[in-house]
Amino acid sequence: MTRVLTFLLAAAALSACAAQPYEPEPVSAWQWQQRQERIERQEAERLRRCETMDKQSERYARECARTGASQ
């Protein structure tokens, strides 16, 4: 029983790590620029979505309320 429980906990821990895709560090200036532009586009998209959400919803609290962010 202990082995099964240990195996299940290990599997859950490993699957949580697998949820985040591996992204290697950029090596050239062009790659850094592309990465920065992608991050800026993603943040702008997130802000647009947050503007349309109900401010009292659970989803808004989870996705839009960032610590230290000015909104």
Side-chain angles (χ1 to χ4, degrees):
M1 180 69 177
T2 305
R3 286 184 182 182
V4 172
L5 196 57
T6 304
F7 176 75
L8 289 174
L9 288 173
L14 289 175
S15 67
C17 294
Q20 297 294 329
Y22 171 72
E23 183 179 329
E25 288 292 319
V27 293
S28 69
W30 180 80
Q31 288 174 328
W32 279 104
Q33 182 67 30
Q34 294 298 311
R35 178 179 180 263
Q36 186 62 33
E37 289 173 358
R38 180 176 37 83
I39 291 169
E40 290 172 359
R41 282 191 309 271
Q42 289 172 341
E43 182 63 13
E45 180 182 333
R46 185 187 72 81
L47 291 174
R48 280 192 303 273
R49 277 194 320 266
C50 290
E51 289 175 358
T52 62
M53 281 187 210
D54 176 19
K55 306 290 189 253
Q56 304 300 320
S57 70
E58 215 176 283
R59 183 177 178 194
Y60 181 85
R62 182 179 61 243
E63 295 180 13
C64 300
R66 298 261 173 113
T67 306
S70 59
Q71 290 189 10

Short mmCIF file of all heavy atoms in Angstrom, two decimals:
data_model
loop_
_atom_site.label_atom_id
_atom_site.label_comp_id
_atom_site.label_asym_id
_atom_site.label_seq_id
_atom_site.Cartn_x
_atom_site.Cartn_y
_atom_site.Cartn_z
N MET A 1 0.81 -1.19 0.00
CA MET A 1 0.00 0.00 0.00
C MET A 1 0.86 1.26 0.00
O MET A 1 0.56 2.21 -0.70
CB MET A 1 -0.93 -0.04 1.23
CG MET A 1 -1.84 1.12 1.34
SD MET A 1 -3.04 1.07 0.02
CE MET A 1 -4.01 2.46 0.42
N THR A 2 1.92 1.24 0.79
CA THR A 2 2.81 2.39 0.87
C THR A 2 3.50 2.62 -0.47
O THR A 2 3.67 3.77 -0.89
CB THR A 2 3.86 2.18 1.98
OG1 THR A 2 3.18 1.90 3.19
CG2 THR A 2 4.73 3.39 2.15
N ARG A 3 3.88 1.55 -1.13
CA ARG A 3 4.55 1.69 -2.44
C ARG A 3 3.61 2.30 -3.47
O ARG A 3 4.01 3.14 -4.27
CB ARG A 3 5.04 0.33 -2.93
CG ARG A 3 6.25 -0.15 -2.21
CD ARG A 3 6.75 -1.42 -2.81
NE ARG A 3 7.90 -1.91 -2.06
CZ ARG A 3 8.56 -2.98 -2.38
NH1 ARG A 3 8.20 -3.72 -3.39
NH2 ARG A 3 9.60 -3.35 -1.65
N VAL A 4 2.37 1.86 -3.45
CA VAL A 4 1.39 2.40 -4.40
C VAL A 4 1.18 3.89 -4.14
O VAL A 4 1.16 4.70 -5.07
CB VAL A 4 0.05 1.62 -4.29
CG1 VAL A 4 -1.02 2.30 -5.13
CG2 VAL A 4 0.24 0.19 -4.71
N LEU A 5 1.05 4.25 -2.88
CA LEU A 5 0.85 5.65 -2.53
C LEU A 5 2.06 6.49 -2.93
O LEU A 5 1.91 7.58 -3.48
CB LEU A 5 0.58 5.76 -1.03
CG LEU A 5 -0.01 7.06 -0.55
CD1 LEU A 5 -1.32 7.35 -1.26
CD2 LEU A 5 -0.23 7.01 0.95
N THR A 6 3.25 5.97 -2.69
CA THR A 6 4.47 6.67 -3.07
C THR A 6 4.54 6.85 -4.58
O THR A 6 4.89 7.92 -5.09
CB THR A 6 5.71 5.90 -2.57
OG1 THR A 6 5.61 5.73 -1.16
CG2 THR A 6 6.99 6.63 -2.92
N PHE A 7 4.19 5.80 -5.31
CA PHE A 7 4.20 5.86 -6.77
C PHE A 7 3.21 6.91 -7.27
O PHE A 7 3.52 7.70 -8.17
CB PHE A 7 3.86 4.49 -7.36
CG PHE A 7 3.77 4.49 -8.84
CD1 PHE A 7 4.91 4.56 -9.63
CD2 PHE A 7 2.53 4.45 -9.47
CE1 PHE A 7 4.82 4.59 -11.00
CE2 PHE A 7 2.43 4.48 -10.85
CZ PHE A 7 3.58 4.55 -11.61
N LEU A 8 2.01 6.94 -6.69
CA LEU A 8 1.01 7.92 -7.11
C LEU A 8 1.46 9.34 -6.82
O LEU A 8 1.26 10.25 -7.64
CB LEU A 8 -0.33 7.63 -6.45
CG LEU A 8 -1.05 6.38 -6.93
CD1 LEU A 8 -2.29 6.13 -6.09
CD2 LEU A 8 -1.41 6.48 -8.40
N LEU A 9 2.06 9.56 -5.68
CA LEU A 9 2.55 10.90 -5.34
C LEU A 9 3.68 11.32 -6.28
O LEU A 9 3.74 12.46 -6.71
CB LEU A 9 3.01 10.95 -3.89
CG LEU A 9 1.90 10.91 -2.85
CD1 LEU A 9 2.49 10.80 -1.45
CD2 LEU A 9 1.02 12.12 -2.96
N ALA A 10 4.58 10.40 -6.59
CA ALA A 10 5.67 10.70 -7.52
C ALA A 10 5.13 11.01 -8.90
O ALA A 10 5.59 11.95 -9.57
CB ALA A 10 6.66 9.55 -7.57
N ALA A 11 4.16 10.24 -9.35
CA ALA A 11 3.57 10.47 -10.67
C ALA A 11 2.88 11.84 -10.72
O ALA A 11 2.98 12.56 -11.71
CB ALA A 11 2.59 9.36 -11.00
N ALA A 12 2.19 12.19 -9.65
CA ALA A 12 1.51 13.50 -9.61
C ALA A 12 2.53 14.63 -9.64
O ALA A 12 2.33 15.64 -10.33
CB ALA A 12 0.64 13.59 -8.37
N ALA A 13 3.62 14.47 -8.91
CA ALA A 13 4.65 15.51 -8.88
C ALA A 13 5.30 15.67 -10.25
O ALA A 13 5.55 16.79 -10.71
CB ALA A 13 5.70 15.18 -7.83
N LEU A 14 5.58 14.57 -10.91
CA LEU A 14 6.20 14.64 -12.23
C LEU A 14 5.25 15.20 -13.27
O LEU A 14 5.67 15.92 -14.17
CB LEU A 14 6.71 13.26 -12.65
CG LEU A 14 7.92 12.75 -11.87
CD1 LEU A 14 8.25 11.33 -12.29
CD2 LEU A 14 9.12 13.66 -12.06
N SER A 15 3.98 14.88 -13.18
CA SER A 15 3.03 15.41 -14.16
C SER A 15 2.86 16.91 -13.98
O SER A 15 2.63 17.63 -14.95
CB SER A 15 1.69 14.70 -14.06
OG SER A 15 1.07 15.00 -12.83
N ALA A 16 2.97 17.41 -12.77
CA ALA A 16 2.88 18.85 -12.54
C ALA A 16 4.06 19.57 -13.19
O ALA A 16 3.91 20.65 -13.74
CB ALA A 16 2.84 19.15 -11.05
N CYS A 17 5.22 18.96 -13.16
CA CYS A 17 6.39 19.55 -13.80
C CYS A 17 6.26 19.54 -15.32
O CYS A 17 6.76 20.42 -16.00
CB CYS A 17 7.67 18.80 -13.40
SG CYS A 17 8.08 18.97 -11.66
N ALA A 18 5.61 18.53 -15.84
CA ALA A 18 5.47 18.40 -17.29
C ALA A 18 4.47 19.39 -17.86
O ALA A 18 4.43 19.59 -19.07
CB ALA A 18 5.05 16.97 -17.64
N ALA A 19 3.67 20.02 -17.03
CA ALA A 19 2.67 20.96 -17.51
C ALA A 19 3.31 22.20 -18.14
O ALA A 19 2.75 22.81 -19.03
CB ALA A 19 1.74 21.37 -16.39
N GLN A 20 4.47 22.60 -17.66
CA GLN A 20 5.17 23.75 -18.19
C GLN A 20 6.12 23.30 -19.30
O GLN A 20 7.03 22.53 -19.04
CB GLN A 20 5.97 24.45 -17.09
CG GLN A 20 5.12 25.01 -15.99
CD GLN A 20 4.24 26.13 -16.47
OE1 GLN A 20 4.59 26.87 -17.37
NE2 GLN A 20 3.07 26.26 -15.87
N PRO A 21 5.90 23.77 -20.52
CA PRO A 21 6.80 23.35 -21.60
C PRO A 21 8.20 23.94 -21.41
O PRO A 21 8.36 25.05 -20.90
CB PRO A 21 6.14 23.92 -22.86
CG PRO A 21 5.31 25.05 -22.35
CD PRO A 21 4.89 24.69 -20.96
N TYR A 22 9.17 23.17 -21.81
CA TYR A 22 10.56 23.61 -21.71
C TYR A 22 10.83 24.62 -22.81
O TYR A 22 10.53 24.40 -23.97
CB TYR A 22 11.51 22.43 -21.85
CG TYR A 22 12.94 22.85 -21.96
CD1 TYR A 22 13.63 23.34 -20.86
CD2 TYR A 22 13.61 22.79 -23.18
CE1 TYR A 22 14.94 23.75 -20.96
CE2 TYR A 22 14.93 23.19 -23.29
CZ TYR A 22 15.59 23.67 -22.18
OH TYR A 22 16.89 24.08 -22.29
N GLU A 23 11.39 25.73 -22.45
CA GLU A 23 11.74 26.76 -23.43
C GLU A 23 13.21 27.11 -23.21
O GLU A 23 13.57 27.70 -22.20
CB GLU A 23 10.87 27.99 -23.24
CG GLU A 23 11.15 29.06 -24.26
CD GLU A 23 10.24 30.26 -24.06
OE1 GLU A 23 9.11 30.10 -23.61
OE2 GLU A 23 10.69 31.37 -24.38
N PRO A 24 14.08 26.73 -24.15
CA PRO A 24 15.50 27.04 -23.98
C PRO A 24 15.74 28.54 -24.03
O PRO A 24 14.98 29.29 -24.64
CB PRO A 24 16.17 26.33 -25.15
CG PRO A 24 15.11 26.19 -26.17
CD PRO A 24 13.81 26.06 -25.41
N GLU A 25 16.78 28.97 -23.36
CA GLU A 25 17.15 30.39 -23.36
C GLU A 25 17.57 30.81 -24.77
O GLU A 25 18.28 30.07 -25.45
CB GLU A 25 18.30 30.64 -22.40
CG GLU A 25 17.91 30.55 -20.94
CD GLU A 25 16.98 31.67 -20.52
OE1 GLU A 25 17.22 32.83 -20.93
OE2 GLU A 25 16.04 31.39 -19.78
N PRO A 26 17.14 31.98 -25.20
CA PRO A 26 17.59 32.48 -26.51
C PRO A 26 19.11 32.69 -26.51
O PRO A 26 19.69 33.03 -25.48
CB PRO A 26 16.87 33.82 -26.64
CG PRO A 26 15.75 33.76 -25.67
CD PRO A 26 16.19 32.87 -24.57
N VAL A 27 19.72 32.48 -27.66
CA VAL A 27 21.18 32.63 -27.74
C VAL A 27 21.61 33.81 -28.60
O VAL A 27 22.73 34.26 -28.50
CB VAL A 27 21.86 31.34 -28.27
CG1 VAL A 27 21.70 30.21 -27.26
CG2 VAL A 27 21.28 30.93 -29.61
N SER A 28 20.71 34.32 -29.42
CA SER A 28 21.08 35.45 -30.27
C SER A 28 20.20 36.66 -29.92
O SER A 28 19.16 36.53 -29.28
CB SER A 28 20.88 35.10 -31.75
OG SER A 28 19.50 34.97 -32.05
N ALA A 29 20.64 37.82 -30.36
CA ALA A 29 19.88 39.04 -30.11
C ALA A 29 18.50 38.96 -30.76
O ALA A 29 17.50 39.41 -30.18
CB ALA A 29 20.65 40.25 -30.63
N TRP A 30 18.42 38.37 -31.94
CA TRP A 30 17.14 38.22 -32.64
C TRP A 30 16.19 37.36 -31.83
O TRP A 30 15.00 37.68 -31.70
CB TRP A 30 17.38 37.61 -34.02
CG TRP A 30 16.11 37.44 -34.80
CD1 TRP A 30 15.44 38.39 -35.51
CD2 TRP A 30 15.33 36.24 -34.90
NE1 TRP A 30 14.30 37.86 -36.06
CE2 TRP A 30 14.21 36.54 -35.71
CE3 TRP A 30 15.47 34.96 -34.42
CZ2 TRP A 30 13.25 35.59 -36.02
CZ3 TRP A 30 14.51 34.02 -34.73
CH2 TRP A 30 13.41 34.35 -35.52
N GLN A 31 16.69 36.24 -31.27
CA GLN A 31 15.85 35.37 -30.47
C GLN A 31 15.35 36.07 -29.19
O GLN A 31 14.21 35.91 -28.80
CB GLN A 31 16.60 34.09 -30.08
CG GLN A 31 16.81 33.16 -31.25
CD GLN A 31 17.69 31.98 -30.89
OE1 GLN A 31 18.58 32.08 -30.04
NE2 GLN A 31 17.42 30.85 -31.52
N TRP A 32 16.23 36.86 -28.56
CA TRP A 32 15.81 37.61 -27.39
C TRP A 32 14.72 38.61 -27.75
O TRP A 32 13.75 38.79 -27.01
CB TRP A 32 17.00 38.35 -26.75
CG TRP A 32 17.82 37.47 -25.88
CD1 TRP A 32 19.03 36.93 -26.17
CD2 TRP A 32 17.50 37.00 -24.57
NE1 TRP A 32 19.48 36.16 -25.14
CE2 TRP A 32 18.56 36.19 -24.13
CE3 TRP A 32 16.42 37.18 -23.72
CZ2 TRP A 32 18.57 35.57 -22.89
CZ3 TRP A 32 16.42 36.57 -22.48
CH2 TRP A 32 17.49 35.77 -22.08
N GLN A 33 14.87 39.28 -28.88
CA GLN A 33 13.87 40.25 -29.32
C GLN A 33 12.54 39.57 -29.60
O GLN A 33 11.49 40.07 -29.20
CB GLN A 33 14.37 40.99 -30.57
CG GLN A 33 13.41 42.05 -31.05
CD GLN A 33 13.27 43.20 -30.08
OE1 GLN A 33 14.21 43.53 -29.36
NE2 GLN A 33 12.11 43.82 -30.04
N GLN A 34 12.57 38.42 -30.27
CA GLN A 34 11.35 37.67 -30.56
C GLN A 34 10.66 37.24 -29.27
O GLN A 34 9.44 37.33 -29.14
CB GLN A 34 11.67 36.43 -31.43
CG GLN A 34 12.15 36.78 -32.81
CD GLN A 34 11.11 37.53 -33.60
OE1 GLN A 34 9.95 37.12 -33.66
NE2 GLN A 34 11.50 38.63 -34.20
N ARG A 35 11.46 36.79 -28.31
CA ARG A 35 10.92 36.36 -27.02
C ARG A 35 10.26 37.53 -26.30
O ARG A 35 9.14 37.41 -25.78
CB ARG A 35 12.04 35.79 -26.16
CG ARG A 35 11.62 35.35 -24.78
CD ARG A 35 12.83 34.76 -24.03
NE ARG A 35 12.47 34.34 -22.72
CZ ARG A 35 12.64 35.07 -21.61
NH1 ARG A 35 13.19 36.27 -21.69
NH2 ARG A 35 12.29 34.63 -20.44
N GLN A 36 10.92 38.67 -26.29
CA GLN A 36 10.38 39.85 -25.62
C GLN A 36 9.08 40.31 -26.28
O GLN A 36 8.11 40.64 -25.59
CB GLN A 36 11.40 40.99 -25.64
CG GLN A 36 10.98 42.19 -24.84
CD GLN A 36 10.80 41.88 -23.36
OE1 GLN A 36 11.49 41.04 -22.81
NE2 GLN A 36 9.86 42.56 -22.74
N GLU A 37 9.04 40.31 -27.60
CA GLU A 37 7.82 40.72 -28.31
C GLU A 37 6.67 39.75 -28.03
O GLU A 37 5.53 40.17 -27.87
CB GLU A 37 8.09 40.82 -29.80
CG GLU A 37 8.97 42.00 -30.15
CD GLU A 37 9.40 42.02 -31.61
OE1 GLU A 37 9.04 41.09 -32.37
OE2 GLU A 37 10.11 42.97 -31.99
N ARG A 38 6.97 38.45 -27.95
CA ARG A 38 5.95 37.45 -27.64
C ARG A 38 5.40 37.68 -26.23
O ARG A 38 4.18 37.65 -26.01
CB ARG A 38 6.51 36.04 -27.76
CG ARG A 38 5.49 34.96 -27.45
CD ARG A 38 6.02 33.55 -27.66
NE ARG A 38 7.40 33.34 -27.30
CZ ARG A 38 7.86 33.10 -26.05
NH1 ARG A 38 7.02 33.06 -25.04
NH2 ARG A 38 9.13 32.91 -25.82
N ILE A 39 6.28 37.94 -25.28
CA ILE A 39 5.85 38.21 -23.90
C ILE A 39 4.96 39.45 -23.84
O ILE A 39 3.92 39.47 -23.17
CB ILE A 39 7.07 38.35 -22.97
CG1 ILE A 39 7.76 37.00 -22.81
CG2 ILE A 39 6.67 38.93 -21.61
CD1 ILE A 39 9.11 37.08 -22.14
N GLU A 40 5.34 40.50 -24.56
CA GLU A 40 4.55 41.73 -24.59
C GLU A 40 3.18 41.49 -25.21
O GLU A 40 2.16 42.01 -24.72
CB GLU A 40 5.30 42.82 -25.33
CG GLU A 40 6.51 43.33 -24.57
CD GLU A 40 7.38 44.28 -25.38
OE1 GLU A 40 7.06 44.54 -26.57
OE2 GLU A 40 8.38 44.76 -24.82
N ARG A 41 3.11 40.71 -26.29
CA ARG A 41 1.82 40.39 -26.91
C ARG A 41 0.93 39.59 -25.96
O ARG A 41 -0.26 39.85 -25.84
CB ARG A 41 2.03 39.59 -28.20
CG ARG A 41 2.46 40.41 -29.39
CD ARG A 41 2.37 39.61 -30.68
NE ARG A 41 3.04 38.32 -30.62
CZ ARG A 41 4.31 38.10 -30.93
NH1 ARG A 41 5.07 39.10 -31.34
NH2 ARG A 41 4.83 36.90 -30.86
N GLN A 42 1.52 38.62 -25.26
CA GLN A 42 0.75 37.81 -24.33
C GLN A 42 0.21 38.65 -23.18
O GLN A 42 -0.93 38.48 -22.75
CB GLN A 42 1.61 36.67 -23.77
CG GLN A 42 1.91 35.59 -24.78
CD GLN A 42 2.92 34.58 -24.28
OE1 GLN A 42 3.67 34.82 -23.33
NE2 GLN A 42 2.98 33.43 -24.94
N GLU A 43 1.01 39.57 -22.68
CA GLU A 43 0.57 40.43 -21.58
C GLU A 43 -0.53 41.38 -22.06
O GLU A 43 -1.52 41.59 -21.35
CB GLU A 43 1.75 41.22 -21.02
CG GLU A 43 1.39 42.09 -19.85
CD GLU A 43 0.89 41.36 -18.63
OE1 GLU A 43 1.03 40.13 -18.54
OE2 GLU A 43 0.33 42.03 -17.74
N ALA A 44 -0.41 41.93 -23.26
CA ALA A 44 -1.45 42.81 -23.79
C ALA A 44 -2.76 42.04 -23.99
O ALA A 44 -3.84 42.55 -23.68
CB ALA A 44 -0.98 43.42 -25.12
N GLU A 45 -2.66 40.80 -24.45
CA GLU A 45 -3.84 39.96 -24.63
C GLU A 45 -4.50 39.67 -23.27
O GLU A 45 -5.72 39.73 -23.13
CB GLU A 45 -3.45 38.65 -25.31
CG GLU A 45 -4.60 37.70 -25.53
CD GLU A 45 -4.14 36.40 -26.16
OE1 GLU A 45 -3.12 36.39 -26.86
OE2 GLU A 45 -4.82 35.39 -25.92
N ARG A 46 -3.70 39.38 -22.26
CA ARG A 46 -4.22 39.12 -20.92
C ARG A 46 -4.95 40.35 -20.37
O ARG A 46 -6.05 40.25 -19.84
CB ARG A 46 -3.09 38.73 -19.97
CG ARG A 46 -3.57 38.34 -18.58
CD ARG A 46 -2.43 38.13 -17.61
NE ARG A 46 -1.80 39.39 -17.23
CZ ARG A 46 -2.29 40.22 -16.29
NH1 ARG A 46 -3.40 39.93 -15.66
NH2 ARG A 46 -1.67 41.34 -16.00
N LEU A 47 -4.36 41.53 -20.58
CA LEU A 47 -4.99 42.76 -20.10
C LEU A 47 -6.32 43.04 -20.83
O LEU A 47 -7.29 43.47 -20.20
CB LEU A 47 -4.04 43.94 -20.26
CG LEU A 47 -2.83 43.93 -19.34
CD1 LEU A 47 -1.88 45.06 -19.70
CD2 LEU A 47 -3.24 43.98 -17.89
N ARG A 48 -6.37 42.76 -22.14
CA ARG A 48 -7.62 42.94 -22.88
C ARG A 48 -8.70 42.01 -22.35
O ARG A 48 -9.86 42.40 -22.20
CB ARG A 48 -7.40 42.70 -24.37
CG ARG A 48 -6.80 43.87 -25.11
CD ARG A 48 -6.87 43.69 -26.61
NE ARG A 48 -6.23 42.47 -27.08
CZ ARG A 48 -4.94 42.35 -27.37
NH1 ARG A 48 -4.14 43.39 -27.24
NH2 ARG A 48 -4.44 41.22 -27.81
N ARG A 49 -8.33 40.74 -22.07
CA ARG A 49 -9.30 39.80 -21.52
C ARG A 49 -9.80 40.26 -20.16
O ARG A 49 -10.98 40.15 -19.85
CB ARG A 49 -8.68 38.40 -21.39
CG ARG A 49 -8.70 37.58 -22.63
CD ARG A 49 -8.39 36.12 -22.35
NE ARG A 49 -7.34 35.89 -21.38
CZ ARG A 49 -6.06 35.69 -21.66
NH1 ARG A 49 -5.66 35.68 -22.91
NH2 ARG A 49 -5.19 35.48 -20.71
N CYS A 50 -8.89 40.77 -19.34
CA CYS A 50 -9.26 41.20 -17.99
C CYS A 50 -10.22 42.37 -18.01
O CYS A 50 -11.06 42.51 -17.12
CB CYS A 50 -8.00 41.54 -17.19
SG CYS A 50 -7.01 40.09 -16.77
N GLU A 51 -10.11 43.23 -19.02
CA GLU A 51 -11.01 44.38 -19.12
C GLU A 51 -12.46 43.95 -19.34
O GLU A 51 -13.37 44.66 -18.95
CB GLU A 51 -10.57 45.29 -20.26
CG GLU A 51 -9.30 46.04 -19.96
CD GLU A 51 -8.80 46.84 -21.15
OE1 GLU A 51 -9.44 46.79 -22.24
OE2 GLU A 51 -7.78 47.52 -21.01
N THR A 52 -12.67 42.79 -19.94
CA THR A 52 -14.03 42.36 -20.25
C THR A 52 -14.62 41.43 -19.20
O THR A 52 -15.80 41.12 -19.26
CB THR A 52 -14.06 41.64 -21.62
OG1 THR A 52 -13.25 40.47 -21.54
CG2 THR A 52 -13.57 42.54 -22.72
N MET A 53 -13.81 40.99 -18.25
CA MET A 53 -14.29 40.04 -17.24
C MET A 53 -15.03 40.74 -16.11
O MET A 53 -14.79 41.90 -15.82
CB MET A 53 -13.12 39.28 -16.62
CG MET A 53 -12.59 38.17 -17.45
SD MET A 53 -11.37 37.28 -16.47
CE MET A 53 -10.31 36.71 -17.77
N ASP A 54 -15.90 39.98 -15.47
CA ASP A 54 -16.58 40.44 -14.26
C ASP A 54 -15.54 40.53 -13.15
O ASP A 54 -14.88 39.55 -12.82
CB ASP A 54 -17.68 39.43 -13.89
CG ASP A 54 -18.36 39.78 -12.59
OD1 ASP A 54 -18.26 40.94 -12.14
OD2 ASP A 54 -19.00 38.87 -12.01
N LYS A 55 -15.40 41.71 -12.58
CA LYS A 55 -14.36 41.96 -11.57
C LYS A 55 -14.58 41.16 -10.28
O LYS A 55 -13.67 40.98 -9.50
CB LYS A 55 -14.29 43.45 -11.22
CG LYS A 55 -14.12 44.36 -12.41
CD LYS A 55 -12.75 44.23 -13.02
CE LYS A 55 -12.52 45.29 -14.07
NZ LYS A 55 -12.53 44.86 -15.42
N GLN A 56 -15.78 40.67 -10.06
CA GLN A 56 -16.09 39.91 -8.85
C GLN A 56 -15.95 38.40 -9.06
O GLN A 56 -16.12 37.65 -8.11
CB GLN A 56 -17.53 40.21 -8.40
CG GLN A 56 -17.80 41.68 -8.18
CD GLN A 56 -16.90 42.28 -7.11
OE1 GLN A 56 -16.64 41.66 -6.10
NE2 GLN A 56 -16.40 43.48 -7.38
N SER A 57 -15.61 37.97 -10.26
CA SER A 57 -15.57 36.54 -10.54
C SER A 57 -14.30 35.89 -10.02
O SER A 57 -13.27 36.54 -9.81
CB SER A 57 -15.70 36.29 -12.04
OG SER A 57 -14.53 36.70 -12.70
N GLU A 58 -14.40 34.58 -9.84
CA GLU A 58 -13.26 33.79 -9.41
C GLU A 58 -12.16 33.80 -10.47
O GLU A 58 -10.98 33.85 -10.15
CB GLU A 58 -13.75 32.35 -9.17
CG GLU A 58 -13.07 31.63 -8.05
CD GLU A 58 -13.69 30.27 -7.84
OE1 GLU A 58 -14.79 30.22 -7.25
OE2 GLU A 58 -13.08 29.29 -8.28
N ARG A 59 -12.58 33.73 -11.72
CA ARG A 59 -11.61 33.73 -12.82
C ARG A 59 -10.81 35.04 -12.86
O ARG A 59 -9.61 35.03 -13.08
CB ARG A 59 -12.33 33.53 -14.15
CG ARG A 59 -11.39 33.45 -15.32
CD ARG A 59 -12.13 33.18 -16.60
NE ARG A 59 -11.20 33.17 -17.70
CZ ARG A 59 -11.55 33.23 -18.96
NH1 ARG A 59 -12.82 33.27 -19.30
NH2 ARG A 59 -10.65 33.24 -19.91
N TYR A 60 -11.48 36.16 -12.61
CA TYR A 60 -10.78 37.44 -12.59
C TYR A 60 -9.73 37.45 -11.48
O TYR A 60 -8.61 37.89 -11.69
CB TYR A 60 -11.78 38.59 -12.39
CG TYR A 60 -11.12 39.95 -12.39
CD1 TYR A 60 -10.87 40.60 -13.59
CD2 TYR A 60 -10.73 40.57 -11.20
CE1 TYR A 60 -10.25 41.84 -13.60
CE2 TYR A 60 -10.11 41.80 -11.20
CZ TYR A 60 -9.86 42.43 -12.41
OH TYR A 60 -9.24 43.66 -12.42
N ALA A 61 -10.10 36.96 -10.32
CA ALA A 61 -9.16 36.92 -9.19
C ALA A 61 -7.96 36.04 -9.52
O ALA A 61 -6.83 36.35 -9.16
CB ALA A 61 -9.87 36.41 -7.95
N ARG A 62 -8.21 34.95 -10.22
CA ARG A 62 -7.14 34.01 -10.55
C ARG A 62 -6.24 34.53 -11.67
O ARG A 62 -5.02 34.42 -11.59
CB ARG A 62 -7.78 32.67 -10.94
CG ARG A 62 -6.79 31.58 -11.26
CD ARG A 62 -7.48 30.26 -11.61
NE ARG A 62 -8.34 30.39 -12.78
CZ ARG A 62 -9.65 30.23 -12.78
NH1 ARG A 62 -10.29 29.93 -11.68
NH2 ARG A 62 -10.36 30.36 -13.89
N GLU A 63 -6.83 35.11 -12.71
CA GLU A 63 -6.05 35.45 -13.89
C GLU A 63 -5.62 36.92 -13.98
O GLU A 63 -4.67 37.23 -14.67
CB GLU A 63 -6.85 35.10 -15.15
CG GLU A 63 -7.10 33.62 -15.29
CD GLU A 63 -7.88 33.28 -16.54
OE1 GLU A 63 -8.03 34.15 -17.42
OE2 GLU A 63 -8.34 32.14 -16.63
N CYS A 64 -6.33 37.80 -13.28
CA CYS A 64 -6.07 39.22 -13.49
C CYS A 64 -5.48 39.93 -12.28
O CYS A 64 -4.80 40.93 -12.45
CB CYS A 64 -7.37 39.92 -13.90
SG CYS A 64 -8.04 39.26 -15.43
N ALA A 65 -5.79 39.46 -11.11
CA ALA A 65 -5.28 40.13 -9.91
C ALA A 65 -3.83 39.69 -9.68
O ALA A 65 -3.58 38.62 -9.16
CB ALA A 65 -6.15 39.79 -8.72
N ARG A 66 -2.91 40.53 -10.09
CA ARG A 66 -1.49 40.22 -9.93
C ARG A 66 -0.93 41.06 -8.80
O ARG A 66 -1.22 42.25 -8.69
CB ARG A 66 -0.71 40.55 -11.21
CG ARG A 66 -1.16 39.76 -12.41
CD ARG A 66 -0.22 38.61 -12.61
NE ARG A 66 -0.67 37.71 -13.65
CZ ARG A 66 -0.04 37.53 -14.79
NH1 ARG A 66 1.01 38.23 -15.10
NH2 ARG A 66 -0.50 36.64 -15.66
N THR A 67 -0.10 40.46 -7.99
CA THR A 67 0.53 41.17 -6.88
C THR A 67 1.47 42.25 -7.43
O THR A 67 2.31 41.97 -8.27
CB THR A 67 1.33 40.21 -6.00
OG1 THR A 67 0.47 39.16 -5.59
CG2 THR A 67 1.90 40.91 -4.79
N GLY A 68 1.29 43.46 -6.96
CA GLY A 68 2.15 44.56 -7.39
C GLY A 68 1.80 45.15 -8.73
O GLY A 68 2.45 46.06 -9.21
N ALA A 69 0.75 44.66 -9.36
CA ALA A 69 0.35 45.19 -10.67
C ALA A 69 -0.57 46.38 -10.47
O ALA A 69 -1.39 46.41 -9.57
CB ALA A 69 -0.35 44.10 -11.49
N SER A 70 -0.44 47.34 -11.34
CA SER A 70 -1.32 48.51 -11.27
C SER A 70 -2.46 48.32 -12.27
O SER A 70 -2.23 48.11 -13.45
CB SER A 70 -0.55 49.78 -11.58
OG SER A 70 0.00 49.70 -12.86
N GLN A 71 -3.69 48.35 -11.77
CA GLN A 71 -4.84 48.19 -12.64
C GLN A 71 -5.88 49.20 -12.31
O GLN A 71 -6.15 49.58 -11.27
CB GLN A 71 -5.43 46.79 -12.49
CG GLN A 71 -4.52 45.76 -13.07
CD GLN A 71 -5.23 44.38 -13.11
OE1 GLN A 71 -6.42 44.26 -12.87
NE2 GLN A 71 -4.47 43.37 -13.39
#
